[in-house]
């Protein structure tokens, strides 16, 4: 196979594209035939020996790719030959075939080509983690993005717009700013030709941005921080400028502001379930057309060094990718994973052996069971009212409800019963199904049929409607949840719930 190889540390022109032996997977590893690999700023630093980790020479750079699984090492679970996947690695992606850890594969989202899939995880993962996880950016807040036309910068604009924020994009040329505008930026600042502080004052009525996203560093950091709003959050994402800025400690004090570090790679290692949640939410936003990587250039593998050179010379916008194969193949869309037929699932539950999530297929169309009775007493209703800030008298004012409510007293919030789905599912499946994690993330066709008077008891009768193999040990479990009210035929709620079980 061919690979782009770094034999001596230095600038991209020292890279060579040459024939090397095909990689062989060790136990737990997978070989992926690369169709597209995302080019990221750290790749340009790694080959110069300027990044946090330094691979032994010779090596291929490249840390994210999308392609097709062509070989499986011993003991790899939940991955099939021929499957289209997104893969991450520290280095090695700029090659026709790439070795990756079998646990680090993500199935390609339906409807996405290899090109989009290869340019998504790192840039969008970083910006989503920064804006949502670290800064807690809220709808209506103002975000300033520096280096806004770059890979993580454009991702930050799209994510912030999807979260309902107002975005000020700052970049170095009118062409780059036009791309920011096309990707949703509300206001633009050319920090090469305009005074950053003055423009920020004008655009925010003197208040300053609530959140600043900085992947550039250098000379922009201090003026940007001096402009931040009271209680603002400054996200330290990277130093594309090459200079790590220093900041006087009195500035965060004067602004009541926070400086927040963002290290996406470490976040994924240490908080994998949180990353999977981010990814699930981001795939949802891709499906709604709210996120879409802007791919500005494609380079065949043999010209991969040029991609890195253009990145270092600030010539690229959005994402650039290295490709392997013709344009149609690289843009080919992965087919949706086939639902697993119930009959194909072998072992079932037994008293002494916990089920695998896939074994639940035999329960499709059947009842899992009925939970214990749960009393919706006033203390529980009050606590729910406090948490949800829904403190209407009909729920919490016992005296008034006794006088005025058509139900003769307070009633529980309908969402309180609904919120019992996880607890009742843990009761029915806990200890019987072996999972690392489960996420309840969606409701479909929910009907609120009858109010529950405070003090009444409810229980959840659960039927399995569908089980879908989402690949990589992930199972989408769809259940119908009927909340029965003690002593009454008409149920409180009938709701279809979506949960992801992770093997
Ligand atoms: N913390 C994390 O977890 C994490 C994750 C991913 C990336 N990063 C870091 O984030 C930074 C941006 O990554 P990226 O992939 O978005 O890179 P990129 O696409 O090249 O974007 C970087 C932007 O920085 C600006 N820039 C200013 N001075 C520059 C210089 N001397 N050389 C190159 N660009 C310069 C450029 O915009 P203008 O020309 O408009 O100024 C460019 O568009 C990098 O430092 C990277 O290491 C951090």
């Amino acid at each position: 196979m061919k690979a782009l190889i770094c034999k001596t540390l230095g600038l991209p022109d020292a890279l060579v594209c040459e024939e090397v032996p095909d990689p062989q997977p060790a136990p737990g590893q997978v070989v992926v035939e690369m169709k597209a690999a995302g080019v990221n700023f750290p790749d340009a630093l790694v080959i110069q020996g300027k990044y946090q980790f330094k691979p032994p020479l010779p090596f291929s750079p490249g840390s994210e790719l999308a392609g097709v699984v062509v070989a499986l090492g011993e003991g790899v679970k939940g991955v099939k030959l021929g499957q289209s996947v997104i893969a991450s690695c520290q280095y090695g992606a700029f090659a026709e075939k790439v070795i990756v850890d079998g646990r680090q594969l993500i199935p390609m989202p339906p409807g996405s080509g290899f090109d989009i899939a290869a340019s998504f995880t790192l840039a969008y993962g970083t910006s989503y983690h920064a804006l949502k996880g670290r800064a807690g950016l809220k709808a209506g807040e103002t975000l300033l993005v520096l280096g806004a036309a770059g890979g993580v910068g454009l991702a930050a604009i799209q994510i912030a717009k999807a979260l309902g924020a107002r975005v000020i994009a700052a970049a170095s040329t009118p062409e780059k700013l036009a791309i920011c505008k096309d990707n949703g930026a509300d206001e633009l600042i050319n920090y090469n030709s305009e005074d950053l502080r003055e423009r920020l004052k004008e655009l925010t009525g003197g208040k300053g941005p609530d959140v600043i996203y900085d992947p550039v560093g250098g000379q922009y950091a201090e003026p940007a921080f001096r402009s931040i709003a009271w209680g603002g959050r400054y996200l330290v994402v990277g130093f594309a400028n090459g200079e790590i800025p220093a900041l006087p400690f009195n500035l965060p004090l004067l602004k009541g502001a926070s400086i927040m570090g963002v290290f996406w790679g470490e976040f994924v290692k240490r908080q994998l379930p949180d990353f999977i949640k981010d990814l699930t939410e981001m795939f949802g936003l891709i499906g709604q057309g709210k996120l879409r990587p802007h791919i500005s250039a494609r380079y065949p593998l043999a010209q991969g060094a040029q991609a890195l050179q253009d990145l270092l010379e600030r010539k690229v916008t959005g994402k650039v990718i290295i490709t392997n194969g013709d344009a149609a193949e690289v843009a080919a869309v992965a087919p949706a994973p086939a639902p697993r037929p119930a009959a194909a699932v072998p072992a079932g539950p037994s008293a002494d052996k916990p089920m695998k999530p896939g074994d639940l297929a035999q329960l499709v169309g059947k009842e899992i069971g009925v939970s214990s009775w749960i009393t919706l007493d006033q203390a529980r209703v009050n606590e729910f009212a406090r948490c949800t800030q829904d403190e209407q008298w009909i729920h919490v004012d016992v005296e008034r409800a006794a006088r005025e409510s058509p139900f003769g007293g307070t009633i529980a919030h309908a969402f309180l019963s609904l919120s019992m789905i996880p607890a009742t599912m843990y009761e029915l499946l806990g200890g019987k199904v072996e999972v690392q994690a489960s996420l309840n993330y969606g409701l479909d066709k929910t009907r609120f049929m009858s109010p529950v008077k405070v003090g009444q008891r409810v229980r959840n009768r659960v039927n399995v409607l569908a089980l879908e193999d989402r690949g990589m040990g992930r199972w989408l479990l769809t259940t119908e949840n009927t909340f029965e009210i003690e002593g009454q035929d008409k149920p409180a709620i009938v709701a279809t719930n979506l949960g992801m079980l992770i093997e």
Side-chain angles (χ1 to χ4, degrees):
M1 69 154 187
K2 285 208 163 39
L4 201 63
I5 308 279
C6 174
K7 293 183 173 177
T8 51
L9 296 180
L11 289 168
D13 59 5
L15 295 171
V16 288
C17 184
E18 61 182 34
E19 199 68 36
V20 293
D22 274 13
Q24 301 302 321
Q29 292 183 329
V30 166
V31 178
V32 177
E33 185 179 276
M34 185 268 277
K35 298 288 182 197
V39 180
N40 294 291
F41 208 85
D43 305 327
L45 299 177
V46 171
I47 59 167
Q48 300 177 63
K50 292 183 179 173
Y51 201 61
Q52 285 102 320
F53 68 89
K54 297 175 175 46
L57 294 166
F59 69 93
S60 284
S63 59
E64 67 174 342
L65 68 144
V68 175
V69 174
V70 290
L72 298 174
E74 215 182 288
V76 173
K77 282 191 197 148
V79 184
K80 298 185 202 95
L81 287 175
Q83 188 168 3
S84 299
V85 291
I86 300 174
S88 301
C89 44
Q90 278 199 317
Y91 57 92
F94 299 164
E96 285 177 340
K97 289 182 184 158
V98 183
I99 287 268
V100 288
D101 183 330
R103 292 165 304 182
Q104 301 213 331
L105 298 178
I106 300 165
M108 267 188 32
S112 141
F114 292 109
D115 46 2
I116 297 287
S119 35
F120 186 76
T121 322
L122 201 148
Y124 284 75
T126 300
S127 295
Y128 201 79
H129 166 54
L131 295 176
K132 202 162 176 225
R134 300 292 287 132
L137 181 69
K138 292 190 256 327
E141 287 193 313
T142 299
L143 169 74
L144 166 67
V145 183
L146 301 171
V152 296
L154 274 190
I157 295 177
Q158 293 180 5
I159 290 165
K161 290 312 295 173
L163 294 175
R166 173 180 181 237
V167 178
I168 303 175
S172 62
T173 67
E175 295 74 25
K176 286 187 175 185
L177 287 169
I179 288 167
C180 297
K181 184 96 193 150
D182 287 349
N183 280 273
D186 301 288
E187 310 288 352
L188 307 172
I189 301 178
N190 184 329
Y191 50 35
N192 250 355
S193 59
E194 297 179 289
D195 183 308
L196 185 60
R197 291 209 67 195
E198 282 307 313
R199 285 285 287 140
L200 284 172
K201 250 187 224 157
E202 265 168 45
L203 294 173
T204 61
K207 175 179 176 252
D210 301 293
V211 178
I212 298 179
Y213 182 95
D214 183 3
V216 181
Q219 76 269 32
Y220 306 123
E222 187 169 331
F225 196 92
R226 284 183 183 276
S227 306
I228 205 164
W230 171 253
R233 289 89 80 205
Y234 193 100
L235 294 161
V236 179
V237 180
F239 314 105
N241 169 287
E243 184 197 326
I244 299 178
L247 200 71
F249 256 36
N250 65 322
L251 296 182
L253 180 152
L254 291 171
K255 295 292 184 121
S258 312
I259 301 175
M260 297 174 155
V262 176
F263 191 173
W264 178 74
E266 205 55 32
F267 160 70
V268 174
K269 257 195 245 158
R270 290 169 185 261
Q271 294 173 242
L272 188 63
D274 294 329
F275 165 61
I276 292 173
K277 185 167 170 284
D278 281 3
L279 208 58
T280 311
E281 290 173 8
M282 286 192 290
F283 284 165
L285 293 171
I286 294 185
Q288 294 166 29
K290 291 185 176 167
L291 303 184
R292 185 152 191 91
H294 165 85
I295 299 175
S296 60
R298 295 152 197 265
Y299 302 77
L301 186 60
Q303 289 162 30
Q306 192 59 48
L308 290 169
Q309 189 58 38
D310 289 349
L311 197 77
L312 285 174
E313 290 177 11
R314 288 166 89 166
K315 285 183 180 160
V316 310
T317 53
K319 295 295 300 182
V320 294
I321 55 170
I322 289 178
T323 59
N324 176 32
D326 62 30
E329 210 182 341
V330 172
V333 167
R340 186 161 175 158
V345 177
S350 75
D352 52 355
K353 189 167 157 253
M355 284 189 266
K356 295 281 177 201
D359 298 339
L360 287 168
Q362 68 186 328
L363 292 178
V364 172
K366 296 190 186 136
E367 194 181 274
I368 297 180
V370 194
S371 75
S372 311
W373 289 109
I374 302 158
T375 307
L376 301 188
D377 57 23
Q378 193 64 55
R380 197 187 282 259
V381 171
N382 290 349
E383 182 63 6
F384 191 82
R386 191 184 61 77
C387 294
T388 56
Q389 298 183 3
D390 180 356
E391 303 198 45
Q392 292 185 78
W393 67 267
I394 194 93
H395 302 303
V396 296
D397 190 333
V398 175
E399 282 171 28
R400 180 170 172 191
R403 283 195 315 271
E404 297 177 31
S405 162
F407 308 105
T410 46
I411 56 168
H413 306 70
F415 281 97
L416 171 54
S417 306
L418 208 55
S419 73
M420 298 290 169
I421 290 177
T424 54
M425 293 290 277
Y426 297 148
E427 185 193 343
L428 296 173
L429 295 178
K432 296 179 193 133
V433 183
E434 226 174 27
V435 291
Q436 283 190 49
S438 71
L439 306 169
N440 273 298
Y441 71 89
L443 286 168
D444 196 8
K445 293 188 204 144
T446 299
R447 281 171 294 152
F448 297 106
M449 302 180 66
S450 178
V452 180
K453 290 180 212 156
V454 169
Q456 279 188 310
R457 301 205 301 171
V458 295
R459 64 180 183 182
N460 186 9
R461 186 176 293 278
V462 183
N463 285 299
V464 179
L465 296 181
L467 182 76
E468 195 182 315
D469 184 352
R470 286 290 178 102
M472 313 295 166
R474 269 157 270 204
W475 299 86
L476 177 64
L477 177 67
T478 308
T479 52
E480 185 186 69
N481 297 261
T482 305
F483 280 86
E484 300 170 341
I485 304 174
E486 192 176 30
Q488 182 178 310
D489 287 341
K490 195 171 179 186
I493 295 168
V494 180
T496 303
N497 186 64
L498 310 177
M500 188 66 79
L501 305 178
I502 299 161
E503 232 170 278

